Amino acid sequence: MKRLGKITGLGLVTIGCMMANSVFADEPSAPITKTDEIIVTATRTPKPLKDVPGAVSVINQDNIRSKNTLDLADALEDVTGLKILRYGALGSISSVHIRGLYSQHILVMVDGRIVNSPSMGSADFSSLSVDNVKQVEVIRGPFSALYGANAVGGVVNIITKPVPKEPVKNISTLYGSYQTSISTIESGMSDKQGGYLFNSNYKTSQGHRDNSEHYSTNTTLRLNYQDESSINFTVDAGYFTGETRFPGAQPSSYPAERTASQLAIGNDEVSSLVDFGQNEQTYLNTLFTSGDLKLHLSLNKKDDINHREWMSSGKRISQDSNYQTTASALEALQSFSFSDNQLIIGANIETNQFDTLSKNLDVASSTVTTQKWDAERTTYSGFIQDEMKFSEVILTLGGRFDNPSDFDSRFSARGNILYQVAPSMTIRGSYGTSYRAPSLNDLYWPVDDFAEGNPNLTPEKGKSAEIGLDYTVLSLGDNKEITTGINLFSQDIDQMIAWAPRGSIGPWGNRWTPSNLNQAKINGIEFQNHFNLIKDVSFGLNYTLLDATQQNQELTDASLNTMETRTRRLAYAPARKMDLSTEIKDVFSIEKFLVNMGVQYISETSQYYSDYSAWPSVTTMEKSLSGYWLVNLKTRYSIKDAELFLGLDNLTDKKYAIQFGSSIDDRDYPMPGRTITTGVTMRF
């Protein structure tokens, strides 16, 4: 806390100096800048970035192309306050943490369609394509007042490309390390009344470890109709199918420390040589607008098949599980404009259904046991937001009421104020409440030998306060500019859901069950800077400092199920994250030759494990992943109707891991070393 206090003091001094400079600086006339980018997620209506009362980052098509990103998670790596958690390379499960909060606290949408799993609560980015993305809007801080459950740490809204005004025909192919290959085709056109955009890609990779192969196909189609009035109708449909092998964590170097499963079905590098998952997804997303009225209907269907094997009491168990999820939502939104006042009223109904069937085979005896269960939730919601403008001040107040079918109703509120000190400077302040809904797994997991759900769970509750400043220096001539921002924030999460041996008695003692056990307290400061002082050269520097702690109930006696409250550093949350980027255009005076270099530093992270070696006494052990530096180099050259690109990731061949293993003895999930990718995009 002392360190954070010093940094916060420095941040306040910086704000004061910037305000002083703005008072005496000559203000330019009003050139177009990054702050004029239009976003929709933070207020549900199109707004210039400079008028949005929140901490927002925007990743556009130019950012994505300059980085030669293989997947959507790659495109988000350097966003302020955001950390990507992944289990490996292409195709592995990838999720987003924001300001230290976990993926189940982050709401992820594609064109407003929620993609968080109803069963787990989190969103997996591995099946989301980057090829048809127009921009990604990342909103940091609680937004349950607009979006309801799970928008505790922030919102990520992926906005896909519109139907093109001019005919588009593109073919792209990429090849890289570990026999990685990505092929993409894109086609689209439109006329006065509408058009279409089609995109399809095929990905395959042998992976950087044994049993880490991946292949997938992702196809999307957008149809658009519009008349001469204000009516617009858009239909999006998509289909994804793929298979990913699951190598598990890298086992301990010492066979004596490995589990029976690792010894039987793994090797020195992977925990499993046989586990895999197959995934099939379809979606339909429609949007009808007429003037200020919007009607939004979405449907997601997901079918997962997982095969896993393990050893239990000397027996080899082979499990095949089928998880089917259906999620639908219908939303109506109406906005009203009255002079300097904009009012938004909306209503929403969302239904989630989850069905699972698992078959466990005892390989030696050929005995099969079957487990089948299902769960369903329907949520009715209403929300309102009023944006009031008073000269240089914009005040935004909003609230949302959610009435789910399987836990108590919730009301979330948020207030924002934005003060334009000068044309180049704004100060923002906000306070909001939020909640995370118990997942269907948390509530309804059936009673088995080891675990059971808890239908009496209540939602996690969050509250957050924030102050920020954005400042742009424009009076430098020749389109040169400096854009900088600073955010100070504090967030508390209460009644956090955690699984612990507090359930009914089973064959192995108390079953593990979820309860509202834990708390998290997060304070932090973020810096965002963009410099464009030399022709065709730009620099970006983002820095995040977190002081994040958890107050968890930890098991201390396994026979009596005694638990004690302990305060520790928040698991998975690095204290420091820095991203430095440099982009140079027309390198060596070669027109349309671009070089992009990114440098990232993430400090060490911690995870906690229970040690039963002195049973019944239980000790909580801390394990840390070392901090690391990564350097990525990307180049792109455009010539006539083609683009050639080359990428070098992890240029220094750093050995590092992002995800912890399931045991304190594991060597966790190693990330790839130096990799190279190259490819070409052709336009017809």
Side-chain angles (χ1 to χ4, degrees):
M1 288 296 293
K2 292 182 179 179
R3 180 181 65 213
L4 184 64
K6 294 179 181 179
I7 297 297
T8 303
L10 175 62
L12 294 174
V13 171
T14 303
I15 290 177
C17 293
M18 295 168 73
M19 291 181 65
N21 289 338
S22 71
V23 171
F24 297 103
D26 294 330
E27 296 298 341
S29 54
I32 301 298
T33 72
K34 289 182 176 296
T35 58
D36 292 306
E37 287 184 291
I38 302 298
I39 72 166
V40 298
T41 310
T43 59
R44 292 244 181 182
T45 56
K47 295 286 182 185
L49 186 56
K50 63 183 179 182
D51 292 339
V52 173
V56 182
S57 296
V58 180
I59 301 94
N60 56 36
Q61 281 182 274
D62 289 339
N63 302 139
I64 294 172
R65 289 176 60 248
S66 67
K67 298 175 187 176
N68 301 342
T69 55
L70 300 185
D71 57 28
L72 192 56
D74 284 342
L76 301 177
E77 286 277 10
D78 60 356
V79 172
T80 309
L82 185 149
K83 181 176 182 287
I84 298 295
L85 192 72
R86 60 170 80 218
Y87 287 80
L90 186 70
S92 63
I93 296 174
S94 303
S95 58
V96 166
H97 291 193
I98 294 180
R99 292 177 172 176
L101 288 177
Y102 308 135
S103 56
Q104 59 266 35
H105 298 102
I106 313 303
L107 183 67
V108 180
M109 303 182 293
V110 178
D111 295 321
R113 174 178 58 89
I114 296 175
V115 297
N116 291 65
S117 165
S119 60
M120 300 291 292
S122 57
D124 179 13
F125 279 71
S126 64
S127 63
L128 301 178
S129 175
V130 73
D131 303 306
N132 66 335
V133 173
K134 175 189 175 185
Q135 69 183 41
V136 183
E137 299 174 4
V138 179
I139 318 297
R140 302 185 296 281
F143 269 82
S144 289
L146 268 182
Y147 294 102
N150 302 341
V152 180
V155 178
V156 178
N157 191 14
I158 302 149
I159 300 173
T160 59
K161 296 177 183 176
V163 170
K165 295 181 179 180
E166 300 293 333
V168 169
K169 292 182 179 180
N170 298 330
I171 296 178
S172 177
T173 184
L174 173 148
Y175 187 78
S177 302
Y178 312 116
Q179 299 183 44
T180 298
S181 174
I182 303 177
S183 300
T184 305
I185 60 173
E186 184 178 65
S187 175
M189 62 176 295
S190 63
D191 56 25
K192 293 182 179 180
Q193 289 192 316
Y196 78 94
L197 180 63
F198 173 83
N199 184 286
S200 183
N201 65 60
Y202 176 73
K203 299 180 180 180
T204 181
S205 177
Q206 291 299 303
H208 67 293
R209 305 171 62 201
D210 292 340
N211 196 43
S212 63
E213 298 90 340
H214 168 78
Y215 80 84
S216 64
T217 301
N218 197 338
T219 301
T220 63
L221 175 65
R222 165 166 287 187
L223 302 174
N224 176 255
Y225 167 80
Q226 58 186 10
D227 62 14
E228 295 180 355
S229 63
S230 58
I231 293 178
N232 191 300
F233 184 60
T234 301
V235 178
D236 291 309
Y239 175 75
F240 171 91
T241 184
E243 180 176 315
T244 303
R245 311 294 294 188
F246 299 147
Q250 187 175 17
S252 170
S253 301
Y254 306 100
E257 295 179 347
R258 298 178 190 174
T259 67
S261 299
Q262 290 172 336
L263 292 171
I265 59 176
N267 61 21
D268 290 344
E269 301 300 323
V270 302
S271 291
S272 174
L273 291 167
V274 296
D275 292 354
F276 66 89
Q278 296 174 334
N279 180 263
E280 184 177 37
Q281 301 179 43
T282 56
Y283 75 84
L284 180 68
N285 200 39
T286 66
L287 178 64
F288 172 83
T289 62
S290 178
D292 293 325
L293 173 66
K294 295 182 180 180
L295 298 176
H296 181 208
L297 173 66
S298 65
L299 174 66
N300 298 331
K301 292 183 70 67
K302 186 175 181 180
D303 192 343
D304 280 324
I305 297 176
N306 284 349
H307 176 85
R308 297 183 183 272
E309 298 185 22
W310 67 89
M311 301 298 296
S312 177
S313 301
K315 300 177 181 180
R316 182 163 176 165
I317 306 299
S318 174
Q319 181 186 77
D320 289 289
S321 300
N322 180 217
Y323 307 103
Q324 296 182 343
T325 305
T326 302
S328 61
L330 174 63
E331 180 178 85
L333 186 148
Q334 177 73 55
S335 61
F336 306 90
S337 297
F338 312 98
S339 184
D340 291 330
N341 183 282
Q342 186 174 38
L343 181 68
I344 298 173
I345 299 176
N348 178 284
I349 177 173
E350 181 179 351
T351 300
N352 295 320
Q353 186 171 351
F354 181 54
D355 296 276
T356 178
L357 173 64
S358 294
K359 294 182 179 181
N360 289 6
L361 168 67
D362 183 328
V363 176
S365 66
S366 298
T367 303
V368 177
T369 58
T370 301
Q371 184 181 65
K372 182 178 181 180
W373 62 282
D374 57 72
E376 186 173 350
R377 170 184 297 155
T378 299
T379 304
Y380 298 91
S381 308
F383 57 91
I384 185 170
Q385 177 181 274
D386 193 9
E387 182 182 290
M388 298 159 279
K389 189 170 184 180
F390 308 95
S391 186
E392 288 82 20
V393 176
I394 299 176
L395 176 64
T396 306
L397 301 175
R400 178 177 173 124
F401 179 78
D402 291 306
N403 186 24
S405 58
D406 54 356
F407 59 89
D408 291 341
S409 59
R410 302 294 303 173
F411 179 76
S412 306
R414 183 175 174 88
N416 306 275
I417 187 168
L418 184 147
Y419 174 42
Q420 189 172 22
V421 180
S424 62
M425 173 178 285
T426 56
I427 296 177
R428 298 173 283 99
S430 66
Y431 178 84
T433 61
S434 57
Y435 77 99
R436 181 215 156 198
S439 71
L440 297 182
N441 277 0
D442 292 332
L443 291 170
Y444 303 116
W445 189 274
V447 178
D448 59 28
D449 288 348
F450 304 98
E452 62 182 328
N454 182 359
N456 298 315
L457 289 172
T458 61
E460 299 180 5
K461 299 188 300 183
K463 56 183 179 180
S464 176
E466 180 174 336
I467 184 172
L469 180 144
D470 297 306
Y471 181 49
T472 303
V473 181
L474 298 169
S475 53
L476 302 173
D478 298 328
N479 294 321
K480 299 175 182 177
E481 69 174 57
I482 299 175
T483 302
T484 188
I486 181 173
N487 301 302
L488 289 81
F489 56 89
S490 177
Q491 187 160 12
D492 294 345
I493 313 296
D494 295 323
Q495 298 181 1
M496 295 182 73
I497 297 170
W499 287 70
R502 294 164 59 98
S504 59
I505 300 295
W508 312 101
N510 286 77
R511 293 180 173 90
W512 284 67
T513 189
S515 302
N516 296 99
L517 294 176
N518 300 335
Q519 294 179 309
K521 297 182 181 296
I522 303 170
N523 298 295
I525 184 169
E526 299 167 339
F527 293 93
Q528 299 180 92
N529 302 277
H530 183 268
F531 308 92
N532 185 12
L533 301 176
I534 304 173
K535 183 181 179 181
D536 297 327
V537 180
S538 62
F539 299 93
L541 175 61
N542 299 330
Y543 184 80
T544 304
L545 175 64
L546 291 178
D547 181 12
T549 59
Q550 62 184 40
Q551 295 178 357
N552 285 8
Q553 295 286 319
E554 296 179 358
L555 183 68
T556 58
D557 190 300
S559 62
L560 301 176
N561 291 322
T562 305
M563 305 189 78
E564 295 183 4
T565 301
R566 302 282 173 81
T567 299
R568 303 181 187 272
R569 181 169 59 172
L570 185 64
Y572 287 98
R576 296 175 301 281
K577 176 177 181 281
M578 186 196 73
D579 291 280
L580 174 65
S581 62
T582 303
E583 184 174 286
I584 307 174
K585 299 178 181 178
D586 299 340
V587 180
F588 305 126
S589 298
I590 301 175
E591 188 175 357
K592 297 183 178 180
F593 180 30
L594 180 146
V595 174
N596 182 295
M597 174 174 282
V599 179
Q600 182 179 80
Y601 170 72
I602 294 182
S603 62
E604 72 172 12
T605 55
S606 295
Q607 173 62 310
Y608 306 99
Y609 300 83
S610 296
D611 180 9
Y612 290 84
S613 60
W615 194 94
S617 178
V618 181
T619 304
T620 297
M621 308 289 288
E622 180 177 359
K623 182 180 183 180
S624 295
L625 292 179
S626 300
Y628 57 87
W629 291 85
L630 289 180
V631 181
N632 301 320
L633 179 65
K634 308 297 177 69
T635 66
R636 180 174 290 268
Y637 177 53
S638 299
I639 177 172
K640 293 184 179 180
D641 294 325
E643 282 188 337
L644 308 175
F645 48 88
L646 174 69
L648 290 170
D649 289 289
N650 193 1
L651 191 63
T652 62
D653 201 25
K654 176 69 176 178
K655 296 184 183 302
Y656 71 106
I658 301 174
Q659 175 62 269
F660 291 88
S662 57
S663 164
I664 197 169
D665 296 318
D666 290 340
R667 287 178 285 168
D668 309 303
Y669 286 80
M671 293 298 292
R674 184 187 301 114
T675 59
I676 181 171
T677 55
T678 184
V680 60
T681 298
M682 303 291 296
R683 300 187 177 92
F684 301 94

